Each structure stands twice: as structure tokens, then as C-alpha cells.
Amino acid sequence: MAEEVKLFGMWASLYSRRIEIALIMKGVQFEFIEEDLQNKCPLLLQCNSIHKKVPVLHNGMPIAESIIILEYIDETWPDNPILPRDPYDRAMARFWARFIDEKLIWVSWDAYSSKEEDQGKAIEEACKQLKALENELKEKEFFGGDTVGYLDIAAIMVASWFGVMQEVMKVELLTEENFPILRQWVEKFVDCPIVKECLPHKEKMVEFTRVLLKDFLASR
Amino acid sequence: MGEEVKLFRSWSSPFALRIVWALEIKGIEYEAVFEDLSNKSPLLLQYNPVHKKVPILVHNGRPIAESFVILEYIDETWKQVPLLPEDPYERAMARFWAKFCDDKVLTSIWSAFIKQGKEQEEALVAAAENLKFLEKEMKGKKFFGGERIGYVDIVLGWLANLVSIFEEIVGLKIVDEGKFPLLYSWMQDFAEAPIIRDNCPPRDKMIVKFQALLDAAIASSSSSSK
């Protein structure tokens, strides 16, 4: 049969964790190849010659970009679908996944990293965007409804990165007071067995992030 | 069966134009609602509170924003003349290239147009590198979609009409026919396709608009230089 599915990833990359979660949810056997991002292996550079990043899924041919890989996984292994069936619901899931990656993370980074005089405004903006995402949960258990779906997987950033950044940057955005529903979602999401298995250890992530940002932190 | 399709657009937005082309290619009846982006309507703000932008497709009263999301919705809802390929790997590749077009190609070419001095030089270098990847991806096909226009062609379509406008205004070559023969030929074929040709904003108006944008950018960068 076809060669084995390979996932080029990195333990601290939430983007590559997204793919792990999806593959495990679908019961797809795969080989995980841990990349040293300071010393990328030739196979990774060949598979993703344009961006040279993880994750890359290799299923006979390579595919890069986590959100795109998620859709590919859903189309290739249709059991346990992660995207909704209805085209409008699919459009909404795609809209909010893009929102997380293209807007939410960046405004949140601004809030975490702004100088003191600009921080108030940056925090206000980040909270406004977080609220928009929270409102999308409505009365559902998960963004995907009763079970974890594509948008929940994409929102791993909210479940993990925000908590890490809070410790590293000493700024809290996702407060219980302002975002009770989103906080509740985080708790349910990280408690799911597959997610629990795939989430990087928080303290390790905090330490990793501190090292990654050491020049930035030192300059403040 | 009553199907109400509305497209909120502006006369010049290249992102909204993608949706015009997709709807026209599929032969979908729709009503165009033109927005003045300096004075956005309450309806626009209601339909796209997150980004407050065009395009917005409203199908039977339900709004969808973000051109990539709208294009996929259109392809899933109206199955005639498919824009995306059928095979999951080919679909993933189309999505990859579409994202590359916006994240890298559009960004670098826009910078090459709007910036000055060293920043412009660097943007031109980046643009050339990005265009090389696209040139390679053409692989001798007429369109990125193969024999006919598809999703990636629609997403990149702004290149076919905007680049020559940018080049005229700044007096620089961005897509050189000698360096990018396949891409150059794609630009001609795409622009000449009847549906595209009949659904492009007037060139003279576009030149005025982008000249004004460039003038404003130059004015603000010289007044804020420290």
C-alpha cells in the first residue's frame, strides 16, 4: 500500500499540534518527525522549500500550512469529520480559523509586547477581538458543537498560547471575569483525552518561550 | 425557488472583484451593492463587524466575509463550473498557492509600489523571488487551474490588471516579460478572457485612485520622517 503518513513537526509548535490532534481523532497512523528548527533536516526543506516551516504533512506528496493541512485531512479521511457538513457552517468555521491566525494572534501579541504607554489601548483591542471569538461559541459546548471540530483545533492557540504568554509577559488577557465562556471552553478542550495527549507541557512551553523571546525581554 | 444573492463590493476592490468573477463564471444571478469605503453603510458594518470590509456575500440573508472563505462557499453551494479541483491533494495545493499569492506576492508587490528608497528596493527583490515560485508553478499550463480559469487564477487575478497600473505610475518594471515569460503570458490570457475583460474597473479611474494613494503615502512618510 502507500507509504506511511509522515508529520514534520516540533513539540512547541501549536501549529504542528493541530495536525497531531486531527490525525489522532481520525485514527490515522503516522510517523512524527521532530524537527530542530535551528537545524532543519534536508527532507523538510525539500518538502516545504518555500516557507521552510513546520508542520508539513507528507502523504505521498508534501502539504504545508496547518489550516490547509486540516482541510486535506478531513477530505482524505472522511470518517469523524472535523468540518461541518453545511456550506454556510463550513464558511463560518473557516472565517473564524482565519481570524485566529491572521488577526487575533497579532493583536494579542501587540497587547503582550507593547510599551507601557501603548499597552492599555492594545489590550482593549485584543479583548475586543477575543470577545468576538467568544461570542461565536454561543451556547455550544465546543465551536464544533457537541464534539471538538476544526475550529476548536485551530483555537488551540487560545487554549495554550495565551496561558504561556501570560506567564512570560506578565499580562493577562483571557481573564475569568471578562471571558467566562471562553475560559470554560478552554477547560473542556484541554480535558479531552486526545487534546491532553497532544498539548505541550505548559512549564516547558513557558521556558521555551522565555528563551525564544530573551532578546526582546532583555531590551525592555 | 427564490435565491437571493447580494454582493457588497466597492468599484475597485480587487478582493471583491474575485467574487464578481466567480459569480459570473458560474452564471449566478446576483445584486451588486456598491459601498463607499470612506463612508461605510450600517448594513456593511452589521454584516462584517469583525473586519468592516468588502467583499461580503449575502446568500438568502446570511452574510459571509473574507474573499477566500466566500470563494469556497460559492464553489460548495453552486457546483457548476467548479473552481477548485476534485482531488484532495490538488485542492490543498490550490489553497496553498492562493495563500502564497496574498501573503507573499501581493504584500511584496504592494510594498514595491507604495514604498520609497531602500524599502522599495528590498520589496522589489522579494517580489521577484516570490514571482519566481509562481512562474515555476505555472508548469506550462494556460491557467493555474489548467485549461480554464480556476481558484488560484481568480485569487491572483489582480496581478493581471493592477500590476501594469503600478508599473505605469512608479515607472518601474515589476513583472518583466523576459524574466517571467509564463506569468506574463498568463496575465495576457487572463485579462483577455471575456468574463474578466467585461468585469474590470476602468483603467483611467484606477490610475487616478492609485496615484492618489501613492501621493498620500509619500506625503505622510516625508512629514513623519525624524
Side-chain angles (χ1 to χ4, degrees), chain A residues 51-64:
Chain A
H51 301 301
K52 305 179 175 42
K53 288 181 178 173
V54 292
V56 172
L57 187 76
H58 197 284
N59 184 25
M61 296 286 274
I63 302 157

Side-chain angles (χ1 to χ4, degrees), chain A residues 22-90:
Chain A
L23 289 170
I24 296 173
M25 276 179 72
K26 299 251 183 188
V28 176
Q29 298 290 324
F30 66 100
E31 181 194 351
F32 182 82
I33 298 164
E34 175 77 32
E35 280 292 322
D36 171 0
L37 297 184
Q38 307 305 320
N39 188 20
K40 293 168 184 170
C41 79
L43 192 52
L44 171 68
L45 298 175
Q46 191 188 314
C47 286
N48 190 3
S49 53
I50 294 178
H51 301 301
K52 305 179 175 42
K53 288 181 178 173
V54 292
V56 172
L57 187 76
H58 197 284
N59 184 25
M61 296 286 274
I63 302 157
E65 301 287 322
S66 66
I67 294 292
I68 292 174
I69 299 171
L70 285 179
E71 295 238 23
Y72 171 82
I73 288 172
D74 210 35
E75 288 171 5
T76 304
W77 295 282
D79 288 344
N80 299 327
I82 54 175
L83 272 157
R85 285 223 131 76
D86 175 75
Y88 186 77
D89 295 335
R90 291 162 77 83

Side-chain angles (χ1 to χ4, degrees), chain A residues 65 75 88 90 94 98, chain B residues 63 68 76 91 95 99:
Chain A
E65 301 287 322
E75 288 171 5
Y88 186 77
R90 291 162 77 83
R94 288 174 177 138
R98 289 173 65 85
Chain B
F68 284 13
E76 287 175 359
R91 291 163 77 81
R95 289 172 176 138
K99 188 171 199 292

Side-chain angles (χ1 to χ4, degrees), chain B residues 60-224:
Chain B
N60 293 332
R62 296 199 297 181
I64 304 158
E66 294 289 287
S67 65
F68 284 13
V69 177
I70 299 171
L71 286 174
E72 296 234 23
Y73 175 81
I74 287 173
D75 216 30
E76 287 175 359
T77 305
W78 293 278
K79 308 261 194 213
Q80 69 274 25
V81 197
L83 303 174
L84 274 162
E86 262 200 58
D87 171 72
Y89 180 73
E90 298 300 328
R91 291 163 77 81
M93 288 302 99
R95 289 172 176 138
F96 175 89
W97 287 108
K99 188 171 199 292
F100 177 79
C101 285
D102 266 12
D103 289 354
K104 301 283 184 189
V105 180
L106 178 57
T107 315
S108 53
I109 291 185
W110 176 251
S111 290
F113 168 68
I114 207 85
K115 305 269 184 197
Q116 287 77 52
K118 191 157 192 288
E119 278 185 295
Q120 184 178 53
E121 283 169 29
E122 286 169 358
L124 280 165
V125 170
E129 276 166 24
N130 294 326
L131 289 168
K132 256 196 227 136
F133 284 121
L134 278 185
E135 176 82 7
K136 205 168 150 207
E137 183 54 23
M138 282 244 67
K139 296 173 188 152
K141 294 178 288 186
K142 183 171 185 195
F143 297 108
F144 289 94
E147 277 307 298
R148 58 177 180 82
I149 287 171
Y151 179 81
V152 178
D153 303 281
I154 288 175
V155 167
L156 191 60
W158 61 269
L159 196 76
N161 60 73
L162 261 183
V163 158
S164 69
I165 289 170
F166 289 171
E167 289 174 342
E168 188 177 316
I169 293 173
V170 299
L172 277 172
K173 204 80 190 110
I174 300 173
V175 183
D176 188 299
E177 186 180 359
K179 292 203 179 97
F180 306 106
L182 297 177
L183 214 42
Y184 192 83
S185 148
W186 170 84
M187 283 163 65
Q188 313 314 308
D189 288 336
F190 185 83
E192 280 161 22
I195 283 177
I196 308 303
R197 195 192 53 216
D198 296 343
N199 288 287
C200 264
R203 191 184 167 85
D204 47 357
K205 260 186 105 176
M206 292 283 268
I207 290 182
V208 168
K209 171 191 159 128
F210 283 98
Q211 182 72 66
L213 279 172
L214 181 58
D215 293 342
I218 293 174
S220 87
S221 80
S222 58
S223 69
S224 66

